[in-house]
Amino acid sequence: MPKADRWSSDEEEIVLLSLLPKPISHLDEGTYGVVWKARDNATQEIVAIKQIKFDSDMTKEGFPISALREIGVLLSLSHESIVSVREMVVGSTPDKVFMVMDCFEMDLQAAMKKGPGASTPFAQSEVKYMMRQILSAMAHVTSIARKYEHPARNMTQMVVTLWYRAPELLFSESCYGPEIDTWSIGCIFGELLIKEAILKGTGELDQIQKIFKLLGTPTDDEYWEQLWSKQGSTFKWKNNDSDLARTFAVNSFSATGQSYLSPDGFDLLSRLLSLNPKKRITAEDALRHSYFSCGVTEQVPMFYV
Amino acid sequence: AGLAAAEVSDPSTTDNNGDEPSPSSSEPINVLWRDKICEWCYNLVDHYELARESVSVAMNIVDRYVSSRFITPKTYTIVAVTAIHIAIKLVSPWKLRMNHLLDLCAGKYTAGDIASMELVILNALSWRVHPPSAFDFCGELIDSSFTESTPDALNDL
C-alpha cells in the first residue's frame, strides 16, 4: 500500500488525503480489484478499501470504463441498504487508485454458508427482512439509474453472473432494463429459502435448460414467440411444465431444509421469476406485495448482530 | 483516423482566422475558447457517431475544473481533450479509442498525458462526473408523460 503521498504532474500539484487508512487484512478479491480491511487513522473507523485493478497497460485507454462507471453509480447512490463510497484516494502512482467504502464483516453468500445458524434454514421473518432490504435498494437504484442503462448495452451479456442472468439475456436480447435485476432478485429469493443457488447452469445453454426446467418452457407466450421469430430461431425447446411449486413447498414444515414459505411468498417468487420480462413484477410493486403486508413480521437476521 | 484528423482537428491548431485565440499564444484564455472547444467536441462525436450527450457532460467537467483552480492556456486544451475522453467513456454506448483521440490532437499529447490528466481532473472534481444532462431531463419528462417509453422514443426526441 502506498503511504500518504504527493503526486505531481507538470502543472498540477495535488495534496492527496493526508492519511490513507492503514491496511489490516485482505478481505476478498472483487471483480475490479483487491479489497482490504483498514482503519482510518483520522477517525479510527474500520473501512474497506478496494484497489482498482488496472490492465497491464493502463495508459493505453486511461482509467478503466467499468470502474469509472461503478464509482459514478456508487457515488450517486445513497441508501441505507447500499454500500457507500466514502471517498476516492489516488496513491503514489496513477495506477494506484482506491475506493474507501463502509466495511462489512461478510457478504450474503458468506452469511449463508458460514454465519451463525448456517446449518439451519433462515426463519421466514429473516428472509422477509432481507428481501425488503434488497428490493428497496433496487427500487432506489431503478429510480435514478436511467443514465447507466444505455451505455451498458454492449456489455449486457457479460454484466450478470450466469446463475442470476435473466432468460432474455441468454437469448442475446440487448435491452438492459430493471427487469433483468428483478429476475436476479427472484433467484436470490429462492436461494435464501434453500441456502443454495437455484439455477446453477454450467454454461449458457445449460442455464437456459435449467430455467425452462424449473419454470416451464414459455409456450403461448407472446413475448417469447416474438423474440424467437425475430431471431429466426427454429430450435425446438423441450416442453416442460413449471416445477416451481414442487421445488418450493408452500405452507410446509418439511425436513428438506427449506425456509417456511407462505402462499404470498410463493406468489411473489413466481412473479419475480416471470419468464416474460414485460410481466415481471417491478421492485416497487414487489414492495407493495401482500407478502410484506401480511403474515409474520420481519426480523433482523441472526448474522446481522 | 487520418480522414478524421483532417475534418476534426485539434482546437488548438485550428487557427485559420487570425482573431481566434490559440493556446499556443501567450494570450490569456477568453470566452471564445469555450465555444471553440465545444464545437470541436460536437464535430468529434458526430464524426464518430458517439452520443451527443457526451459533449454536455464534457463541458460540465471542463467548466467545473477550470473554476476550481488557476489554468494556463496550455492546460485548457488538454483539460478539454481529457474531459471529452472521460465523458465518452461515461455516457456513450460506443467507444473512442485513445489512439484516435491522440491523432485528432495531432500528436500534441501522449496517452500517458491524457491518463494522468484524467486522474487529476477526477480528483479535482471528487470523482463527481455524472451531471444530469438535457437528455436525462427529456427521459424523465417522457416517462412522466407516457406510460410506455422505449429507447426508440428517446432517440426520436
Side-chain angles (χ1 to χ4, degrees):
Chain A
M1 298 286 287
K3 292 194 207 79
D5 247 322
R6 275 167 168 251
W7 173 48
S8 53
S9 69
D10 319 19
E11 296 181 347
E12 295 288 340
E13 190 166 69
I14 300 172
V15 182
L16 292 159
L17 203 95
S18 54
L19 298 159
L20 191 62
K22 242 193 263 155
I24 302 173
S25 65
H26 177 254
L27 278 180
D28 199 4
E29 186 121 353
T31 323
Y32 305 122
V34 183
V35 183
W36 301 81
K37 184 176 172 180
R39 174 175 288 117
D40 188 331
N41 288 336
T43 63
Q44 300 302 311
E45 280 174 294
I46 301 291
V47 292
I49 311 180
K50 179 145 102 170
Q51 180 171 10
I52 311 285
K53 214 187 282 173
F54 285 89
D55 296 337
S56 51
D57 189 8
M58 105 98 189
T59 51
K60 218 171 145 202
E61 297 296 329
F63 200 75
I65 287 196
S66 47
L68 191 60
R69 286 181 178 169
E70 185 194 2
I71 293 162
V73 174
L74 288 175
L75 280 172
S76 56
L77 295 174
S78 166
H79 188 274
E80 51 177 12
S81 304
I82 299 176
V83 64
S84 59
V85 176
R86 296 169 171 226
E87 61 191 316
M88 297 295 304
V89 179
V90 181
S92 52
T93 54
D95 61 340
K96 293 203 173 79
V97 180
F98 305 89
M99 299 167 81
V100 182
M101 298 186 289
D102 297 342
C103 184
F104 295 94
E105 282 310 307
M106 50 188 146
D107 60 19
L108 192 51
Q109 200 92 43
M112 274 192 275
K113 300 281 183 237
K114 290 176 270 178
S119 52
T120 49
F122 288 123
Q124 62 164 331
S125 53
E126 294 178 319
V127 174
K128 202 181 270 196
Y129 181 92
M130 289 183 275
M131 282 304 291
R132 184 191 287 281
Q133 278 201 321
I134 295 169
L135 284 165
S136 62
M138 187 51 69
H140 176 71
V141 172
T142 312
S143 70
I144 65 163
R146 169 196 323 288
K147 67 182 310 158
Y148 308 107
E149 284 165 21
H150 64 103
R153 210 173 286 159
N154 305 328
M155 316 187 295
T156 309
Q157 271 109 60
M158 308 297 290
V159 269
V160 194
T161 312
L162 185 65
W163 294 349
Y164 304 91
R165 207 175 294 168
E168 65 272 20
L169 281 185
L170 293 161
F171 283 92
S172 48
E173 258 303 74
S174 52
C175 169
Y176 187 91
E179 317 82 52
I180 305 289
D181 298 314
T182 36
W183 171 273
S184 306
I185 294 177
C187 296
I188 295 169
F189 192 6
E191 187 166 343
L192 288 173
L193 295 170
I194 59 174
K195 285 200 170 183
E196 186 157 5
I198 59 170
L199 293 160
K200 298 200 274 193
T202 53
E204 295 200 0
L205 188 63
D206 187 49
Q207 188 68 25
I208 294 171
Q209 276 164 342
K210 291 220 157 70
I211 289 173
F212 287 170
K213 188 164 182 298
L214 180 65
L215 295 151
T217 317
T219 47
D220 300 327
D221 183 290
E222 210 181 307
Y223 175 86
W224 286 96
E225 272 172 16
Q226 263 179 22
L227 180 67
W228 282 329
S229 76
K230 190 176 84 188
Q231 295 183 339
S233 165
T234 49
F235 195 86
K236 276 268 167 258
W237 293 91
K238 204 176 124 201
N239 263 345
N240 288 318
D241 291 329
S242 175
D243 232 1
L244 196 66
R246 245 166 304 161
T247 314
F248 294 96
V250 166
N251 280 342
S252 95
F253 291 96
S254 63
T256 53
Q258 182 203 305
S259 298
Y260 184 87
L261 184 64
S262 64
D264 281 335
F266 181 80
D267 184 71
L268 178 60
L269 178 68
S270 57
R271 284 172 194 273
L272 288 165
L273 293 178
S274 159
L275 287 171
N276 182 335
K278 298 206 153 66
K279 291 182 182 156
R280 210 169 289 151
I281 194 167
T282 64
E284 254 182 39
D285 287 342
L287 286 166
R288 286 191 283 262
H289 192 274
S290 52
Y291 174 62
F292 291 108
S293 50
C294 308
V296 296
T297 43
E298 292 150 45
Q299 180 193 312
V300 180
M302 227 189 330
F303 66 83
Y304 275 45
V305 280
Chain B
L3 172 77
E7 281 178 32
V8 190
S9 58
D10 173 17
S12 64
T13 57
T14 320
D15 207 2
N16 10 4
N17 183 340
D19 310 336
E20 286 187 61
S22 154
S24 54
S25 73
S26 52
E27 284 178 63
I29 302 161
N30 67 46
V31 68
L32 289 176
W33 285 34
R34 192 182 182 282
D35 288 356
K36 234 175 149 182
I37 290 287
C38 190
E39 202 183 320
W40 181 76
C41 290
Y42 272 117
N43 287 339
L44 183 149
V45 296
D46 287 347
H47 180 83
Y48 285 100
E49 298 181 349
L50 305 165
R52 295 199 110 217
E53 194 190 357
S54 319
V55 180
S56 61
V57 174
M59 293 316 290
N60 175 292
I61 294 174
V62 171
D63 293 344
R64 281 164 59 222
Y65 182 79
V66 166
S67 55
S68 75
R69 61 205 56 223
F70 179 75
I71 293 290
T72 64
K74 211 174 117 201
T75 325
Y76 193 76
T77 31
I78 189 170
V79 168
V81 170
T82 310
I84 191 75
H85 172 66
I86 296 172
I88 289 169
K89 284 206 268 194
L90 282 171
V91 301
S92 181
W94 316 114
K95 292 182 211 161
L96 175 66
R97 293 238 153 264
M98 176 79 98
N99 280 342
H100 292 175
L101 189 68
L102 297 176
D103 286 348
L104 294 177
C105 300
K108 259 185 96 157
Y109 310 113
T110 64
D113 293 339
I114 305 280
S116 308
M117 196 65 217
E118 191 174 29
L119 281 178
V120 170
I121 292 177
L122 289 169
N123 249 313
L125 304 183
S126 310
W127 297 73
R128 298 193 178 271
V129 285
H130 288 78
S133 67
F135 188 87
D136 297 321
F137 176 77
C138 292
E140 289 297 330
L141 192 68
I142 289 182
D143 263 12
S144 55
S145 320
F146 308 104
T147 41
E148 277 280 295
S149 87
T150 60
D152 292 337
L154 280 171
N155 285 333
D156 290 347
L157 197 91

